[in-house]
């Protein structure tokens, strides 16, 4: 009594029990990234209540008064606690602890324990039990789980033993431990809970509930432990057990038990009995097999005769995923699995919710190991879209017969599939040859005087005095021979100078020859243009350097006078298609402009030729194959003219690359003799090892956990900051990230970490007032904020002025850190001592998921560290998802062979060669294919491409099948016509659609798509565009003289102020948006919501329904967000936003809109050329009137209506208008000729152009004439011309003659017997005219 009274009067302080679980909490902080070393652990302990009580009551925690007196803050004791916890966790493999440095690092076990709240004692138990048994049974694993420390509170009471023994008899899985132990009792109660056995004792009911609430968590922790450690069998059994606990039925029971409330009980019992009778078939496969039966058969089997259809309905809801896998050998020990996952079940929100998760892993049953695991999520919004995975899987000698892909539902019991992947067809024999590497000789560096030309020496005199070792070794073959060269060397080896030596050689031998430099990206092309214009375009050389990319255009004169052309692959592919000079009436296309100078190309330099193996590699392959064909043709032509052998006409090809695994194939393809012997064998082939760097580099590869991308990126920010402080505290550092958003988030986190150490300006190395002034001049607000802390941003969303400012500050060392998107690695050449690759994944808009960077991209980023002219050493830190760490360690410096990507663009490339006349038959196509890199790789690695073997007979059959399939697809899309001949060969002829596809660089299925869109628009215009539109009449005498006024019946204004024309313009833009060219426009995470808001703010909405005034308005579809996920819908919205000056939701849309708008002129020109094929159909006149209106909208940057203009002054009058008729002798048909003379007032033109909303000096003043019939809207003729702006006269005249079908015009001339001439000025609004011209001679 006295004790309790004392407690009431004097309260006892509450002491801390934190020490008991210190190790578990320490592990949690390590996983969270809060604690990375013992010093940080001590600081963390000082924030705990434990530290407070140790200071107040040290004796209670084993601290003597002497110890407390010598260390009042108890740092020593805190350190002892931290070290003891670290050692314990390290012993149990939950962290990695280095006693020397005090650093701690997280492990998979520690991460799993933290995420699932598992005690370290349990982890120790699991490690011990799992290591004892390599092939555990279900009973063994149930025992392992029930031995968890979480169940130690389960006590065995004597009065419960009888009931426990009864329950034990009902357990389907053997109980290993005796029931007198807590693990045995827990095992019995767990199985009783899953089996739904009846428990009567109140204490047992309480214990069962406790076990049930913890068992699933522990089982899932064990599942992830086993999965990450590669234990395939154990992982499968633990995930089964976890799901069984959640749903209270066993995995060997029917999965239809998920629908217990909907189906009768005997359905399950009959199916389970059927499984036992048949064999040990998986219950899931047995349930799925019910779909192969008739409903009455299903009802009979389940003894529910009327419920057959109902049962099948619920079977279709079981989450079933169809798996297709193709195997591509890469090296002898590495295979690429391309896996397509297609959900084949019916989605029901009641049962499936918003998403369904699956675990997929690749396992080897012989060794009971997993080689890859991944979590796949299917969302309701994207259902039933398939998902594609590309996995790199190791194989070992001898090659196993098969691996297995197992896919297991994360939530549904029993729903799992096992798919065997056979290796019988995989041929690895051709992949066993070792990689050829060139030895770097110890040569005396050559001085620049070896060039023997003062003009050339001046190029390098201010940069260096001697060439580096690689340049020295290649100097003779570059500067004194004309053989093709393939150079594989690490980034930073001076490959640009190597290319320049070949260029100097070409100009020295033949000053009139041209060099074409192919850059993989526009940014790299701009950098090379800037550098070479400064160095080669100035005295004493004064060479003309031009850039040809999607953003630039030059006339034929400039192209013919140029010395060096810097191109993107796609642009040169398009230009070189016109090398024969066959334009097929596409005189305005870029292809026909190339015919004058393509044959004069003496040197073709392809930078980063290893990108042949990436998505755009097919274009590079087409370029080189065509270049070799052209050079052979020119050589043969020269021999015929000179009647003697010549070898000087061959175009020299130079390929620059990183180190290659299969250099022989590439070398042979570009014309190097790799099979010969003697002095000329392999002449021109140089493939240096990746370690041969002018500047040594240390590489650190760090793995980070996390299933989701954004949280994983966030965990990398603190290690990023630590890497900069440790490895490059004062020298420039560069951080590469995947997106603009990540540049911003990374910069803000680095600032906060620096501020946490009370030094926010740590990375700023200039005067604060100066950087404030610079920040005020920047357009980007985020950049203006971060740059004041010494951190710059660099991405495509910045203006060119902002980018140049950041580059200048970084180069001058005034800011220390530059955070850039990955494209900078290929573009601007900026120095860095330290490069951090923060994440090795990027979001693929086409696949709508994150995919890995190619290893070549990572090497390119790393190559920015330690550039020779800036630094003497370099450091690279690669931060990746933990499962990718071992892959990068193995393959970062063991490059994969470069494989061909031609197959993905085979239709476009074959169609282009058919259009220009290179291919005229099936045999020509097979012959062309043998010129390509594709054929060389098929021979070396037949299994990768689907060939049976590398024998000549099998290869011929393979080429024949590939070409036939390609020509069949082109025929189906209307690109070619096939003319059968005798024998197996046949002729192929290009159609208008095929030539349009080639000349306008379209995908092979786009022209047919455009044709269908054109046809539907013409039908609408033919029905709804009447001849009388209440157009405003203009006084005829203001435009023509009195004599001509008799011929001209009326002149009216023409503009878009009518619903049908607004619809037509919108339909054209909708058709352009719907083409396959926009399939890969990125729709990022959550952008469907932004697209929906944007569509509400735009007048046309997301489709044409608002403008279809002749149709009844439909209700909005329920799946509107699904529509907003479509990249074509986003494209249509972006085009509207450009026209109507709509406000874009986020900055990413600005760059998206720019890329979409840039494509419009090309696609519109293609659509117009395709439409000309059927110009004689009704509605064509109105449609061809809308094409120049669309060009006008994008030229002026606005959609202007008549009501917006107060007073209009027209710039043109007509000096004469004549109509005559004659008979065409060839066709014996009447042909009409309309002759019209224009007179333009230049002063009026200048006033109009000065009022343009986005006046662009580069835009010419184009005028389009469209001649059509008064009735039916038939197109008679169309023409266009440009008003020159270099003349000084006040007036400019132009005479135009238009031939037309007289009979068609007369038949549809109406009562007045007229034709209509529509004059559209593409440079200004509200000055377009309609002129009705009589076909009768005036009386």
């Amino acid at each position: 009594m006295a004790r309790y009274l004392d407690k009431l009067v004097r309260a006892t302080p509450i002491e801390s029990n934190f020490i008991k679980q210190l190790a578990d909490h320490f592990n949690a902080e390590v996983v969270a990234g809060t604690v990375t070393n013992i010093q940080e652990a001590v600081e963390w302990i000082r924030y705990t209540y434990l530290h407070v009580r140790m200071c107040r009551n040290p004796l209670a925690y084993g601290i003597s008064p002497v110890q407390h007196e010598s260390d009042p803050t108890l740092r020593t004791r805190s350190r002892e606690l931290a070290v003891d916890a670290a050692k314990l966790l390290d012993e149990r493999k939950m962290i990695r602890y280095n006693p020397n440095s005090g650093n701690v690092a997280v492990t998979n076990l520690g991460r799993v324990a933290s995420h699932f709240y598992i005690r370290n004692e349990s982890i120790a138990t699991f490690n011990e039990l799992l290591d004892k048994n390599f092939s555990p049974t279900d009973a063994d694993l149930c025992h392992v789980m029930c031995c968890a420390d979480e169940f130690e509170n389960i006590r065995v009471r004597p009065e419960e033993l009888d009931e426990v023994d009864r329950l034990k008899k009902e357990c389907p899985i053997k109980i290993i431990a005796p029931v007198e132990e807590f693990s045995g009792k827990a095992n019995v109660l767990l199985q009783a809970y899953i089996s739904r056995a009846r428990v009567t004792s109140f204490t047992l009911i309480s214990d069962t509930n406790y076990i049930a609430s913890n068992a699933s968590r522990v089982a899932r922790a064990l599942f992830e432990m086993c999965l990450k450690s590669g234990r395939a069998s154990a992982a499968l059994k633990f995930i089964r057990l976890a799901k069984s606990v959640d749903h209270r039925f066993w995995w060997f029971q029917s999965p239809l038990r998920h629908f217990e409330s909907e189906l009768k009980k005997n359905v399950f019992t009959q199916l389970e009995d059927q499984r036992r009778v048949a064999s040990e078939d998986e219950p899931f496969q047995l349930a799925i097999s019910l779909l192969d039966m008739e409903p009455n058969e299903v009802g009979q089997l389940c003894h529910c005769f009327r419920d057959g259809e109902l049962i099948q309905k619920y079977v279709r809801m079981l989450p079933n995923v169809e798996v297709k896998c193709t195997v591509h050998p890469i090296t002898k020990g590495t295979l690429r699995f391309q896996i397509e996952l297609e959900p084949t079940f019916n989605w029901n929100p009641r049962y499936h919710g918003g998403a369904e998760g699956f675990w997929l892993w690749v396992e080897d049953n012989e060794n009971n190991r997993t080689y890859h695991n991944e979590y796949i999520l299917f969302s309701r919004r994207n259902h039933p879209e398939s998902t594609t995975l590309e996995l790199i899987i190791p194989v070992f000698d001898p090659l196993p017969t098969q691996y297995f892909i197992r896919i297991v539902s994360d939530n549904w019991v029993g729903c799992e599939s096992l798919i065997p992947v056979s290796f019988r067809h995989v041929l690895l024999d051709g992949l066993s040859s070792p990689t050829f590497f060139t030895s770097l000789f110890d040569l005396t560096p050559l001085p620049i005087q070896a060039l023997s030309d003062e003009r050339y020496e001046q190029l390098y005199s201010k940069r260096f005095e001697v060439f580096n070792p690689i340049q020295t070794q290649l100097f003779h073959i570059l500067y004194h021979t004309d053989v093709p060269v393939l150079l594989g060397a690490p980034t930073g080896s001076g490959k640009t100078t190597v290319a320049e030596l070949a260029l100097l050689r070409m100009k020295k031998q033949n000053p009139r020859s041209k060099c074409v430099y192919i850059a993989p990206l526009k940014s790299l092309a701009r950098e090379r243009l800037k550098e070479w214009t400064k160095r080669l375009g100035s005295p004493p050389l004064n060479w003309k350097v031009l850039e040809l990319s999607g953003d630039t255009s030059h006339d034929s004169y400039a192209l013919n006078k140029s010395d060096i052309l810097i191109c993107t692959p796609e642009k040169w592919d398009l230009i070189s298609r016109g090398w024969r000079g066959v334009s097929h009436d596409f005189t305005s296309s870029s292809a026909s402009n190339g015919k004058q100078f393509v044959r004069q190309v003496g040197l073709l330099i392809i930078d980063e030729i290893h990108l042949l193996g990436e998505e755009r590699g097919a274009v590079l392959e087409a370029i080189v194959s065509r270049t070799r064909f052209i050079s052979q043709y020119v050589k043969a032509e020269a021999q015929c003219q000179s009647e003697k052998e010549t070898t000087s006409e061959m175009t020299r090809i130079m390929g620059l690359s990183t180190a290659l695994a299969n250099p022989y194939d590439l070398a042979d393809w570009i014309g190097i003799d790799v099979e010969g012997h003697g002095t000329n064998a392999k002449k021109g082939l140089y493939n240096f090892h990746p370690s041969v760097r002018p500047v040594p580099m240390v590489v650190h590869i760090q793995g980070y956990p996390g299933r989701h991308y954004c949280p994983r990126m966030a965990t990398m920010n603190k290690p990023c900051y630590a890497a900069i402080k440790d490895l490059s505290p004062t020298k420039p550092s560069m951080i590469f990230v995947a997106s603009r958003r990540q540049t911003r988030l990374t910069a803000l986190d680095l600032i906060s970490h620096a501020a946490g150490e009370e030094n926010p300006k740590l990375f700023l190395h200039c005067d604060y007032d100066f950087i404030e002034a610079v920040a005020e001049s920047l357009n980007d607000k985020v950049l203006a904020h971060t740059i004041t802390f010494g951190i710059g941003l660099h991405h495509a969303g910045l203006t060119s002025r902002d980018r140049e400012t950041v580059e200048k500050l970084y180069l001058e060392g005034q800011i220390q850190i530059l955070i850039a998107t990955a494209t900078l690695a290929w573009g601007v050449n900026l120095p860095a001592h330290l490069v951090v690759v923060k994440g090795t994944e990027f979001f693929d808009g086409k696949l709508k998921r994150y995919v890995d960077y190619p290893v070549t991209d990572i090497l390119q980023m790393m190559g920015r560290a330690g550039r020779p002219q800036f630094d003497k050493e370099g450091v690279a830190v690669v931060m990746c998802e933990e499962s990718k760490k071992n892959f990068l360690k193995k393959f970062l410096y063991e490059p994969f062979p470069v494989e061909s990507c031609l197959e993905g663009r085979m239709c476009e490339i074959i169609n282009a060669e058919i259009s220009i006349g290179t291919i005229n038959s099936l045999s020509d196509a097979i012959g062309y294919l043998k010129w390509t890199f594709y054929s060389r790789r098929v021979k070396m690695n037949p299994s990768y491409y689907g060939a049976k073997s590398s024998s000549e007979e099998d290869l011929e059959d393979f080429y024949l099948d590939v070409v036939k399939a390609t020509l069949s697809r082109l025929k189906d899309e209307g690109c070619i016509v096939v003319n059968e001949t005798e024998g197996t060969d046949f002729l192929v002829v290009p159609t208008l659609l095929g030539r349009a596809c080639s000349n306008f660089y379209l995908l092979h299925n786009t022209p047919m798509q455009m044709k269908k869109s054109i046809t539907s628009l013409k039908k609408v215009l033919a029905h709804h565009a009447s001849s009388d539109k209440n157009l405003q009449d203009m006084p005829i005498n203001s435009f023509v003289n009195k004599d001509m006024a008799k011929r001209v019946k009326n002149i009216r204004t023409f503009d878009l102020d009518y619903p049908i024309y607004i619809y037509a313009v919108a339909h054209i833009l909708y058709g352009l948006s719907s083409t396959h060219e926009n399939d890969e426009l990125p729709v990022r995470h959550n952008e469907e919501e932004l697209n929906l808001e944007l569509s509400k703010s735009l007048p046309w909405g997301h489709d044409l329904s608002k403008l279809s005034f002749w149709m009844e308005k439909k209700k909005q579809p329920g799946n509107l967000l699904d529509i907003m996920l479509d990249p074509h819908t986003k494209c249509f919205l972006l085009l509207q936003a450009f026209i109507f000056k709509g406000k874009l939701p986020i900055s990413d849309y600005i760059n998206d809109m720019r890329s979409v708008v840039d494509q419009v002129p090309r696609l519109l020109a293609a659509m117009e050329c395709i439409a000309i094929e059927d110009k004689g159909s009704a509605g064509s006149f109105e449609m061809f009137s809308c094409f120049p209106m669309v060009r006008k909208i994008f030229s002026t940057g606005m959609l202007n209506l008549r009501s917006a203009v107060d007073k209009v002054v027209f710039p043109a009058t007509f000096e004469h208008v004549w109509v005559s008729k004659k008979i065409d002798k060839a066709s014996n048909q009447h042909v009409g000729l309309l002759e019209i003379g224009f007179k333009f007032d230049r002063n009026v033109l200048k006033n109009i152009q000065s009022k343009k909303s986005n006046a662009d000096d580069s835009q010419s003043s184009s005028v389009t004439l469209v001649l059509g019939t008064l009735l039916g809207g038939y197109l008679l003729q169309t023409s266009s011309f440009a008003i020159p702006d270099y003349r000084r006269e006040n007036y400019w005249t132009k005479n135009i003659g238009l031939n037309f079908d007289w009979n068609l015009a007369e038949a549809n001339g109406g009562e007045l017997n007229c034709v209509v001439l529509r004059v559209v000025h593409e440079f200004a609004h509200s000055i377009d005219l309609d002129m009705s011209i009589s076909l009768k001679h005036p009386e």
Side-chain angles (χ1 to χ4, degrees), residues 811-866:
L811 277 169
E812 293 173 354
Q814 293 171 337
I815 60 174
Q816 184 182 337
I817 297 177
L818 185 65
I819 305 175
T821 49
T823 49
L824 178 65
W826 302 98
V828 183
N829 186 5
L830 295 173
H833 173 70
L834 168 68
V835 165
V836 179
V837 182
K838 183 172 170 264
T840 57
E841 298 168 302
F842 68 98
F843 185 79
D844 190 311
K846 183 180 180 180
L847 298 177
K848 295 184 177 62
R849 63 183 178 86
Y850 288 95
V851 297
D852 294 327
Y853 284 124
V855 174
T856 50
D857 283 19
I858 299 173
L859 286 171
Q860 187 72 20
M861 295 179 219
M862 292 165 53
R864 292 297 179 192

Side-chain angles (χ1 to χ4, degrees), residues 560-581:
N560 288 320
K561 290 295 181 183
S562 64
D563 293 292
I564 302 170
L565 294 174
I566 300 173
C567 308
T568 53
E570 291 78 9
K571 193 73 173 184
W572 183 247
D573 184 21
L574 178 61
I575 290 173
S576 63
R577 289 178 182 182
W579 71 275
R580 288 180 181 271

Side-chain angles (χ1 to χ4, degrees), residues 390-547:
E390 281 197 359
L391 313 180
I392 305 298
I393 305 298
V395 289
F396 306 96
D397 199 18
L399 183 69
T401 55
Q402 62 185 8
Y403 279 176
F404 290 90
I405 296 174
R406 191 180 292 275
I407 185 161
V408 182
S409 171
D410 189 49
N411 184 47
W412 291 63
V413 180
C415 294
E416 56 191 59
S417 301
L418 185 68
I419 300 92
V421 180
S422 175
F423 295 155
R424 291 182 180 177
H425 67 287
V426 176
L427 304 173
L428 301 179
D429 296 339
L431 304 176
S432 57
S433 57
T435 301
F436 164 78
F437 286 117
T438 306
S439 300
L440 183 63
F441 300 146
D442 187 12
L443 301 175
T444 302
L446 275 176
I448 59 174
Q449 285 75 24
L451 294 168
S452 303
D453 190 319
E454 290 185 2
R455 297 177 307 153
Y456 294 172
E457 291 169 23
Q458 289 181 25
L459 294 175
Y460 305 106
S461 58
K462 294 181 180 179
R463 298 170 63 203
F464 50 79
E465 296 180 356
V466 296
F467 294 107
N468 73 20
I470 290 178
Q471 294 159 0
T472 299
Q473 189 164 334
L474 272 74
F475 183 85
H476 175 78
I477 202 162
L478 292 170
Y479 197 65
H480 295 292
T481 72
D482 293 312
V483 299
V485 173
L486 175 64
L487 171 60
T491 305
S493 302
K495 293 194 288 287
T496 303
T497 302
V498 169
E500 289 172 359
L501 291 174
L503 170 59
L504 299 178
R505 160 74 180 183
M506 181 202 73
K507 281 299 194 182
K508 190 175 181 179
Q509 295 296 110
N510 189 353
R512 289 173 32 175
S513 289
K514 301 184 189 302
C515 168
V516 175
Y517 175 89
I518 306 294
L521 296 174
K522 290 180 186 177
S523 56
L524 185 57
R526 281 194 293 267
E527 182 196 350
R528 191 63 59 241
L529 175 72
K530 185 178 177 182
E531 182 187 346
W532 278 0
T533 301
K534 182 179 178 180
R535 294 176 53 235
L536 305 179
S538 59
L541 297 178
N542 293 319
W543 291 341
K544 286 268 187 183
V545 184
L546 293 182
E547 179 197 358

Side-chain angles (χ1 to χ4, degrees), residues 243-262:
K243 293 187 293 181
S244 294
V245 174
D246 289 337
H247 295 279
R248 299 192 69 184
F249 68 91
W250 295 99
W251 60 85
F252 44 77
Q253 294 179 299
S254 173
L256 286 174
R257 286 185 177 272
H258 283 279
F259 309 108
E260 284 181 316
S261 59
E262 310 296 336

Side-chain angles (χ1 to χ4, degrees), residues 864-965:
R864 292 297 179 192
R867 300 297 254 180
Q869 60 268 42
F870 298 109
D871 225 331
K872 293 186 178 180
E873 62 177 357
V875 183
V877 177
V878 180
M879 299 179 173
C880 61
E881 199 271 327
E882 193 168 36
S883 64
K884 310 289 192 325
K885 186 176 176 180
N886 290 331
F887 169 79
L888 289 174
K889 278 183 179 179
K890 179 174 176 59
F891 293 112
L892 206 53
Y893 286 116
E894 291 181 18
F896 283 165
V898 177
E899 299 291 352
S900 172
C901 291
L902 188 67
E903 194 170 5
R905 294 293 299 270
M906 187 74 75
C907 289
E908 287 75 24
I909 288 167
I910 294 294
N911 175 73
E913 301 304 328
I914 293 172
S915 297
I916 64 179
T918 306
I919 294 175
N920 297 299
S921 65
L922 173 68
S923 56
D924 286 348
I926 295 174
Y928 172 82
L929 205 61
K930 292 180 180 179
W931 273 83
T932 61
F933 180 66
Y934 174 79
S935 69
R936 287 160 175 78
R937 288 308 298 164
V938 169
K939 187 174 182 180
M940 295 300 297
N941 191 2
S943 297
Y944 187 93
Y945 300 93
K948 291 181 180 177
S949 73
S950 56
S951 67
E952 288 296 327
E953 184 179 349
D954 285 339
L955 290 178
E956 288 293 334
D957 291 344
F958 176 75
Y959 295 146
L960 181 64
D961 292 342
V962 168
V963 170
K964 278 187 173 180

Side-chain angles (χ1 to χ4, degrees), residues 672-733:
I672 297 174
D673 180 13
V674 297
E675 295 181 354
H677 300 281
T679 56
N680 290 328
K682 304 181 184 64
K683 188 177 181 181
L685 172 57
Y686 296 89
N687 188 43
F688 294 99
H689 197 275
S691 61
V692 180
R693 282 180 54 90
V695 177
M697 180 170 64
V698 179
V699 181
H700 303 268
I701 301 177
Q702 301 174 358
Y704 292 86
R707 187 182 302 166
H708 303 291
Y709 177 80
C710 291
R712 187 167 66 250
M713 291 298 104
T715 62
M716 294 179 183
N717 289 331
K718 187 175 180 181
C720 238
Y721 176 76
I724 294 169
K725 285 200 67 180
D726 293 344
L727 303 173
S728 183
T730 56
K731 295 182 180 180
S733 303

